Amino acid sequence: MNLSKYILIVLLSALIGCKSEVPPFELIEQDPKVVLTFNLVSQGQEIAVGDEFVDSQQWPLTLSTLKMYLSDIILLGASEETKLADVELVDIAGKGSATGFNSSYSYIIPEGDYDQLRMSIGLPSDLNATDPTVMPASDPLSLQGAMYWDWATMYVFIMMEARIDTNSDLEYDDNIAFHTGLDTLFRSERSYALTLDIPAFAKDTLHIDIDWDKIFHPADGKRIDLSTTPFFHANVDEDALAASRIFTDNFVKSISIREQ
Amino acid sequence: MKQVALYLSIVFVSVSCSTKKETDAVLKIINPLSIESLKMEIPENNPQSESKIRLGARLFFEPALSRDSSISCGSCHLKEYAFSDTVALSDGVGNKKAARNSPTIVNVGYQPHFMSEGGVKTLELQVIAPLENEDEMALGVIEACRRLNQIPYYQDFFQRVWGDSATPFTLTRSLASFERSIVGGKSPFDDFIDGDSAAISKNAINGMSLFYSDRLACNTCHSGPLLTNFKIENNGLAAEYGDNGLFRLTLDPEDKGKFKVPSLRNISKTFPYMHDGRFKTLDEVIDHYARGGESHPNQHQAINGFELTDREKNDLIDFLESLTDNRFQ
């Protein structure tokens, strides 16, 4: 989650001469870096918070919020397996977001060839039971991320909010809100193919696209009609849960990775 | 039920042939109804202290903890009504109303879980809910801390108690500590079970045996010193519920209409009743149980109706009223 802290600890322990807890490898600043940058896209266009756009179903929309928890983020190569983070809160609002979290995170990794990114969408049940008030503000599980379901003491996994014009009056007068969570909507260890060949001293960016149209109108799989089902929290009733399940599964499948 | 009968006979015996001291000793052992038999779990990272409780009390009545500085925790949890509210749904900020009836928080520190569906695990975490809830204080914990840290009085107070500023940790711990200190176990009923056989009226004693009788079986759910088993049950309020209680948390259809069994201590002060405040009086509550509920598919089998004479009903109410700790005024 916070590799710079990790490095500091490695260095500190080296200084103190404490050799009992040597990690499997020691990463230092000169090692290559990979940057994961998350984007929402619709029909090939990047959508930022506040942007107006028309989706593949011709709905006029404007994006208000997209935040999500990812856990166990791992880069896999033929022989290497490098853990990038235990948990990350991605806020598409990016740098300067109200939460203080970002849409882009960088990690130091060993040089080599990688062909897969593996991550879980949401939080595993032990992390979902975290007490957010004991976490420092910089931690993705603190209250700072505004992803805590306080009445149920657990976290929202994906929060997507937008405004939609359903009656063509040129006003975005309806809300679309998907706040999905619950242990049953945790999607563990999803793998995404990539080709990343990273030499020493290099820095490379992986663009992780979340495709709006594949969430709501996938070519294969269940669709969500935004004109009739605009407002969902995961646990209002069975219908909402069913929609949240479709949303979550489509969301997982809507993700693809692009290099440069 | 048997315990009460046994207990009643011991009181009568003890009054005639044994000293008060001995009676007390016996009662302490056999009597599970005294609040002193309960043990409050205090989290390791939040031990009680006098100064922390005082800070928590101050925060509890602090309107700056709501978005428009109009309400405090104490606006919905009124001290003179055993820290509950007198209306079905309390006013939040703006023109909003809370979604449920404000419950009493007297003895809340003894509860194993919080809110009507029991989804909140600690009192510390419970503090987050009203602060974040858009219908209640609508400020958020982080903003609340920011505000408090701008007020010299609180800067000082937090430093003295915690050696730290107001943070999500110190704010929630202070309020929870105060809440754990709100304990009420001094009612006529407690005096009675402590051996003062004249503490409650004969009518109330009769009401008490009705309460614990097989016929009414109120203690299937309202048992123990707080008159709750803390379980989440469906007491048959409606054939179909608007607010489905525990179902919101588990999404299991068998959990529809299940709510936490509330404590009946101070019940004469915590009107209106049930999660939505649908009943204004104890009279209406008893009528509901006598009718045998509204036949919800998940209704607990102990809610199956009974007949009660007017006199018995009044006796039952007398008993329920004897559960009032008159220090909350």
Side-chain angles (χ1 to χ4, degrees):
Chain A
M1 195 171 341
N2 196 334
L3 265 171
S4 55
K5 203 183 278 166
Y6 170 64
I7 291 161
L8 197 74
I9 293 171
V10 171
L11 288 179
L12 267 180
S13 53
L15 280 177
I16 297 166
C18 155
K19 291 205 175 102
S20 58
E21 279 178 47
V22 179
F25 54 83
E26 292 184 23
L27 293 169
I28 49 170
E29 277 294 338
Q30 286 90 329
D31 277 317
K33 260 190 197 152
V34 64
V35 180
L36 303 188
T37 296
F38 294 82
N39 319 289
L40 180 68
V41 298
S42 173
Q43 305 181 86
Q45 293 292 309
E46 243 175 63
I47 314 292
V49 169
D51 279 0
E52 299 184 5
F53 65 104
V54 177
D55 77 357
S56 66
Q57 299 308 294
Q58 302 307 312
W59 291 120
L61 294 148
T62 162
L63 180 71
S64 324
T65 304
L66 175 55
K67 294 187 283 184
M68 73 200 107
Y69 278 112
L70 302 173
S71 49
D72 280 320
I73 309 175
I74 292 169
L75 261 187
L76 293 138
S79 54
E80 297 274 10
E81 185 171 316
T82 305
K83 175 94 152 252
L84 303 183
D86 288 325
V87 191
E88 214 69 271
L89 175 58
V90 173
D91 187 339
I92 290 293
K95 210 166 173 228
S97 69
T99 58
F101 292 92
N102 205 339
S103 56
S104 189
Y105 291 99
S106 77
Y107 310 92
I108 298 166
I109 55 171
E111 61 175 291
D113 295 345
Y114 298 93
D115 55 18
Q116 240 184 78
L117 178 72
R118 196 169 71 199
M119 60 189 181
S120 304
I121 291 46
L123 299 171
S125 59
D126 57 331
L127 291 180
N128 201 15
T130 303
D131 175 349
T133 66
V134 304
M135 308 310 281
S138 60
D139 192 285
L141 296 174
S142 74
L143 290 169
Q144 196 70 42
M147 291 286 272
Y148 196 60
W149 250 329
D150 46 73
W151 64 272
T153 52
M154 58 189 177
Y155 293 82
V156 175
F157 294 166
I158 306 172
M159 185 181 285
M160 182 185 258
E161 294 178 0
R163 296 180 71 76
I164 183 168
D165 174 12
T166 47
N167 56 1
S168 311
D169 63 355
L170 305 177
E171 304 253 358
Y172 299 102
D173 30 25
D174 285 310
N175 283 311
I176 299 168
F178 284 84
H179 295 190
T180 66
L182 298 177
D183 289 347
T184 56
L185 294 179
F186 175 59
R187 295 291 176 265
S188 72
E189 301 197 356
R190 301 297 139 141
S191 296
Y192 302 93
L194 53 89
T195 38
L196 178 66
D197 182 354
I198 195 157
F201 304 107
K203 177 173 162 181
D204 209 343
T205 299
L206 295 174
H207 296 272
I208 303 175
D209 291 338
I210 299 151
D211 192 326
W212 174 281
D213 302 297
K214 287 185 180 159
I215 298 174
F216 296 105
H217 206 79
D220 54 339
K222 296 198 176 118
R223 297 171 179 183
I224 300 170
D225 181 351
L226 289 178
S227 65
T228 57
T229 53
F231 202 92
F232 281 111
H233 287 66
N235 38 1
V236 182
D237 55 30
E238 290 107 326
D239 290 349
L241 179 67
S244 296
R245 199 166 274 143
I246 297 170
F247 175 86
T248 303
D249 290 329
N250 289 356
F251 191 95
V252 168
K253 282 194 261 172
S254 81
I255 297 173
S256 62
I257 299 182
R258 162 167 69 85
E259 251 194 286
Q260 291 312 333
Chain B
M1 207 263 321
K2 279 212 192 81
Q3 264 156 349
V4 171
L6 172 68
Y7 156 70
L8 286 176
S9 62
I10 288 178
V11 171
F12 293 129
V13 173
S14 66
V15 171
S16 52
C17 54
S18 141
T19 66
K20 179 159 184 327
K21 221 171 161 188
E22 279 161 336
T23 317
D24 285 352
V26 174
L27 282 174
K28 280 259 158 58
I29 300 161
I30 62 120
N31 186 355
L33 295 177
S34 163
I35 200 163
E36 283 156 34
S37 66
L38 288 171
K39 201 178 164 295
M40 196 182 290
E41 303 252 351
I42 313 274
E44 247 169 55
N45 66 10
N46 196 21
Q48 295 288 86
S49 83
E50 195 63 40
S51 60
K52 199 194 291 175
I53 291 169
R54 229 179 278 136
L55 171 58
R58 185 65 206 249
L59 292 166
F60 193 85
F61 296 103
E62 179 52 75
L65 294 182
S66 60
R67 184 185 287 161
D68 57 8
S69 296
S70 63
I71 60 165
S72 68
C73 310
S75 311
C76 299
H77 301 284
L78 302 163
K79 177 179 158 284
E80 47 293 20
Y81 294 95
F83 291 90
S84 72
D85 203 352
T86 56
V87 294
L89 304 176
S90 310
D91 290 329
V93 297
N95 292 319
K96 301 283 187 60
K97 285 210 184 298
R100 288 180 177 156
N101 182 242
S102 305
T104 173
I105 56 169
V106 174
N107 299 320
V108 77
Y110 293 113
Q111 287 195 34
H113 45 208
F114 307 92
M115 309 306 226
S116 267
E117 59 283 271
V120 175
K121 291 156 219 139
T122 69
L123 263 183
E124 281 75 8
L125 289 174
Q126 195 285 328
V127 172
I128 303 171
L131 284 168
E132 301 280 341
N133 192 319
E134 285 295 314
D135 299 331
E136 297 183 3
M137 302 169 95
L139 184 66
V141 175
I142 289 170
E143 182 58 20
C145 293
R146 205 187 56 78
R147 271 195 196 176
L148 292 171
N149 289 331
Q150 285 171 347
I151 306 171
Y153 173 83
Y154 282 115
Q155 286 171 359
D156 244 46
F157 212 153
F158 273 91
Q159 272 304 330
R160 247 183 302 131
V161 173
W162 290 99
D164 195 356
S165 56
T167 66
F169 185 87
T170 60
L171 175 63
T172 55
R173 265 69 193 165
S174 304
L175 275 161
S177 277
F178 167 62
E179 293 179 283
R180 287 197 180 92
S181 77
I182 311 173
V183 169
K186 282 206 189 309
S187 62
F189 169 73
D190 294 290
D191 293 338
F192 178 76
I193 58 181
D194 261 354
D196 177 359
S197 56
I200 66 176
S201 69
K202 262 169 73 184
N203 292 353
I205 295 177
N206 187 40
M208 175 166 153
S209 28
L210 281 168
F211 186 89
Y212 290 96
S213 68
D214 283 342
R215 175 153 60 112
L216 270 62
C218 305
N219 69 324
T220 311
C221 302
H222 299 285
S223 59
L226 296 182
L227 297 103
T228 169
N229 57 6
F230 305 113
K231 288 195 179 144
I232 321 279
E233 301 286 8
N234 181 314
N235 69 340
L237 291 180
E240 215 173 305
Y241 285 74
D243 174 346
N244 266 307
L246 182 60
F247 172 79
R248 296 207 311 151
L249 201 62
T250 62
L251 294 154
D252 179 348
E254 291 193 359
D255 288 338
K256 282 190 174 176
K258 291 191 178 170
F259 293 85
K260 189 174 63 194
V261 177
S263 168
L264 298 186
R265 282 184 172 269
N266 302 301
I267 194 72
S268 69
K269 298 209 159 177
T270 62
F271 59 87
Y273 303 111
M274 307 301 170
H275 70 277
D276 52 4
R278 66 176 59 208
F279 300 134
K280 291 196 180 62
T281 63
L282 288 172
D283 209 85
E284 288 173 52
V285 172
I286 295 169
D287 285 347
H288 157 74
Y289 285 113
R291 262 196 315 275
E294 306 298 329
S295 305
H296 188 281
N298 298 334
Q299 185 173 313
H300 191 288
Q301 65 205 28
I303 313 287
N304 54 12
F306 48 81
E307 278 182 28
L308 216 53
T309 65
D310 283 351
R311 174 129 184 247
E312 285 176 320
K313 189 177 180 183
N314 287 333
D315 288 353
L316 182 56
I317 293 176
D318 281 353
F319 163 64
L320 293 170
E321 287 180 343
S322 80
L323 296 165
T324 310
D325 185 331
N326 282 313
R327 293 171 306 164
F328 298 106
Q329 286 183 350

